[in-house]
Amino acid sequence: MTARSIRRTTAARTRLAAVGTLAVTGALLLTACGDQTKEKDSGSTDTASTSAAPLADKLPKAIRDKGVIKVGSDIAYAPVEFKDSSGNTAGIDPDIAAAMGKQLGVKFEFQNATFDTLIGGLASKRYDIAMSAMTDTKDRQEGIDGDTGKKVGAGVDFVDYFTAGVSLYTNAGDPQGIKTWDDLCGKTMAVQRNTFSHDLAKDQAAKCKKDGKAALKIEDFATNPEAETRMRSKGADVVSADFPIAAYSVKNAGGGKYFEIVGDQVEAGPYGIAVAKDNTELRDALQAAVQAIIDNGEYKKIVEKWGVADGAITESKINGGS
């Protein structure tokens, strides 16, 4: 959703990584997506029964009784979460959630929403958690608007489960001379709204202006596929997204003929499962489940399956982002 976040940054930390083999079938859909904030996914992650789950007693009683954790997610961000050729929710997050469900004895039911509504959905109790390639940052933890610096909500807690950096990619064969973010001055970037990539683009636009260089024009969209469609139509020069998403698009879109990555990853940060501040019992149960699947090897199998082992963690933290 890149590393998705609303935090402001002052310096990029380069993180080098090779593009892993992404064992995913099907091509990335490059059509614009409408508002799906009320769409419920037809499938849920299957799990073992509560009685067979070693961590079931850590869950809040209300969730144990329901047997379901409702997950808000922008299901248009392959390979983290997307709809497969059968219309089912697939990807890194659903697989990790399914493995966690075996530990907790519940089903994780993914419900589709636009990314910028997920935190509000937690506040209104539409969802129990948000799991959508969302970067764990101090601003999100504290409910701070990254643009204004003002407090706009209660904030959320995060259970960290993965690490990803941010990548730039262009139409194949047309890199536009872009190797670093400083090469973006005078270009047009298409980006998903309210993501970390969007934030970095705003920072770079300000830097271009400060340095007296040509302006970086930013066009923001509700979903990453919309941003890619804009670039494919030559309306933008470059797209920015989390490295796993950029790598997936480069490998799969147009049979691997549409896009190419330019430059190196920057700003590696943790993905976190977002939980309301007042739901500490659920938060702690989720952390225990993430750590359990790391320890028992299920987590390793999942990240290797999707070709993203470079972003694997060995310890799940609460609010480990900065």
Side-chain angles (χ1 to χ4, degrees), residues 51-89:
S51 60
L55 300 178
D57 61 350
K58 290 184 174 292
L59 285 170
K61 185 178 184 302
I63 287 181
R64 288 202 310 271
D65 290 346
K66 288 189 302 181
V68 172
I69 292 176
K70 293 185 292 184
V71 185
S73 187
D74 179 3
I75 309 174
Y77 210 59
V80 184
E81 51 264 320
F82 64 101
K83 294 295 181 72
D84 65 17
S85 58
S86 299
N88 297 317
T89 299

Side-chain angles (χ1 to χ4, degrees), residues 14-158:
T14 300
R15 177 172 176 266
L16 301 176
V19 178
T21 300
L22 299 173
V24 185
T25 59
L28 179 66
L29 297 178
L30 294 174
T31 55
C33 298
D35 184 5
Q36 299 170 321
T37 55
K38 294 184 179 180
E39 180 183 336
K40 180 177 178 179
D41 187 4
S42 60
S44 303
T45 57
D46 292 328
T47 65
S49 65
T50 302
S51 60
L55 300 178
D57 61 350
K58 290 184 174 292
L59 285 170
K61 185 178 184 302
I63 287 181
R64 288 202 310 271
D65 290 346
K66 288 189 302 181
V68 172
I69 292 176
K70 293 185 292 184
V71 185
S73 187
D74 179 3
I75 309 174
Y77 210 59
V80 184
E81 51 264 320
F82 64 101
K83 294 295 181 72
D84 65 17
S85 58
S86 299
N88 297 317
T89 299
I92 300 166
D93 281 0
D95 281 359
I96 288 176
M100 292 169 63
K102 294 175 184 176
Q103 298 294 315
L104 296 167
V106 294
K107 293 181 179 180
F108 282 70
E109 183 179 87
F110 279 71
Q111 300 182 2
N112 204 5
T114 53
F115 184 75
D116 54 4
T117 66
L118 295 178
I119 296 297
L122 283 179
S124 66
K125 301 189 184 303
R126 179 181 296 170
Y127 320 116
D128 299 308
I129 64 174
M131 190 174 186
S132 193
M134 187 179 291
T135 302
D136 172 3
T137 69
K138 290 296 183 184
D139 279 354
R140 287 192 179 279
Q141 294 167 22
E142 297 170 4
I144 302 297
D145 184 299
D147 288 329
T148 66
K150 295 180 179 180
K151 191 169 179 64
V152 293
V156 296
D157 283 336
F158 285 101

Side-chain angles (χ1 to χ4, degrees), residues 136 141 157-160 283-284 287 316-321:
D136 172 3
Q141 294 167 22
D157 283 336
F158 285 101
V159 176
D160 298 340
R283 178 200 68 192
D284 293 347
Q287 184 197 27
S316 175
K317 297 180 179 179
I318 293 175
N319 296 332

Side-chain angles (χ1 to χ4, degrees), residues 164-271:
V166 177
S167 293
L168 299 170
Y169 55 114
T170 65
N171 286 319
D174 190 21
Q176 299 282 322
I178 299 169
K179 296 180 180 178
T180 71
W181 282 72
D182 284 335
D183 297 326
L184 296 176
C185 301
K187 308 296 185 185
T188 298
M189 172 182 280
V191 67
Q192 183 172 4
R193 192 174 303 128
N194 289 340
T195 61
F196 190 18
S197 287
H198 192 189
D199 231 22
L200 290 179
K202 293 175 187 176
D203 287 340
Q204 185 60 45
K207 187 174 186 296
C208 292
K209 183 177 181 180
K210 180 181 177 181
D211 294 345
K213 297 182 178 180
L216 166 60
K217 182 180 178 182
I218 303 168
E219 296 188 3
D220 58 270
F221 297 88
T223 69
N224 199 65
E226 289 177 278
E228 292 180 344
T229 298
R230 179 62 170 164
M231 182 168 70
R232 280 281 297 157
S233 68
K234 306 293 186 179
D237 303 307
V238 62
V239 168
S240 176
D242 291 355
F243 171 73
I245 286 75
Y248 180 91
S249 290
V250 167
K251 181 176 177 62
N252 291 282
K257 297 179 180 179
Y258 283 176
F259 306 126
E260 65 178 271
I261 288 179
V262 293
D264 299 322
Q265 290 185 66
V266 299
E267 288 291 336
Y271 283 177

